[in-house]
Amino acid sequence: MTMIYKPTTTMNELKKMNKRKNVYFQTGVFGSDDSEIVKIAAIHEFGGEIKVKKNRYVPVLGVTLKAGTIITMPSRKWLTITFERNRETIDRIIKANLKKIAEGKLTVEGSNEIIAVALSSLTKKEMGNGVTKPKHREGQPMVDTGRLRQSIGTKVDYKGKTKGYGEG
């Protein structure tokens, strides 16, 4: 008996996926380390200290902060919390995509784009939910202006070749 091997689109897609063992997804705020929005994103995610550079009146507090004053900012997780809260959703998206790839209805690249955009969307949706409220002001610093949320983007890295989606 002779078997004839004829590669199918699905088989080719699965082979591509197997060869691409190093696909990384990055979601967050991208830019140079000294960009203002990257600093804002980092201080919210990790907390830290900010040194006041020059005297500045803060109307909400009704005080003037003197140059050299150290302000301690608490961590207000906005990125890692998304993955903790949405692990099952992300797993469902990946499983659904794998099924579509196996059926020949989706390419690996298409799947990666869907996952990347979903990660960014989930992060934007979760931003500000359940974070520590500030003690000395109304509102939520991360979401009041929308600037941080709008700066969230996502990237897919295929062994050093990066594709970006969304802001950032």
Side-chain angles (χ1 to χ4, degrees):
M1 179 160 104
T2 306
M3 294 186 74
I4 299 172
Y5 167 74
K6 183 179 176 188
T8 63
T9 304
T10 302
M11 190 176 295
N12 289 336
E13 286 298 318
L14 292 173
K15 281 183 180 179
K16 272 193 230 176
M17 195 165 64
N18 190 40
K19 285 180 188 174
R20 237 188 240 126
K21 293 181 180 169
N22 296 326
V23 175
Y24 302 98
F25 296 92
Q26 301 171 349
T27 298
V29 176
F30 303 100
S32 64
D33 290 345
D34 63 345
S35 91
E36 182 183 11
I37 197 66
V38 169
K39 288 179 184 178
I40 290 169
I43 200 78
H44 282 294
E45 180 68 18
F46 305 110
E49 293 182 341
I50 300 172
K51 186 175 183 179
V52 177
K53 293 179 182 174
K54 58 183 179 179
N55 292 354
R56 179 176 162 195
Y57 180 71
V58 182
V60 175
L61 300 175
V63 299
T64 299
L65 296 175
K66 305 281 185 206
T69 301
I70 304 286
I71 301 170
T72 302
M73 298 287 293
S75 168
R76 293 185 177 100
K77 300 283 184 203
W78 60 273
L79 185 58
T80 54
I81 196 95
T82 297
F83 299 102
E84 292 169 11
R85 290 180 180 165
N86 292 284
R87 187 172 304 276
E88 289 177 19
T89 301
I90 295 165
D91 286 346
R92 277 196 305 271
I93 292 168
I94 292 169
K95 285 177 186 174
N97 285 357
L98 287 173
K99 182 179 178 187
K100 288 178 185 176
I101 290 168
E103 294 169 345
K105 296 178 180 177
L106 185 64
T107 65
V108 173
E109 287 79 11
S111 171
N112 289 338
E113 289 178 20
I114 290 168
I115 294 166
V117 171
L119 291 171
S120 178
S121 297
L122 287 168
T123 303
K124 290 177 181 185
K125 179 182 159 200
E126 288 287 340
M127 183 168 279
N129 291 338
V131 298
T132 308
K133 303 269 190 227
K135 293 178 187 176
H136 303 291
R137 69 176 288 249
E138 294 295 317
Q140 292 205 15
M142 285 192 289
V143 296
D144 285 349
T145 67
R147 187 168 164 226
L148 181 56
R149 180 178 276 137
Q150 291 166 354
S151 298
I152 296 171
T154 187
K155 295 179 182 181
V156 182
D157 186 327
Y158 304 95
K159 291 185 180 178
K161 182 181 172 190
T162 304
K163 280 183 149 182
Y165 303 93
E167 301 292 326

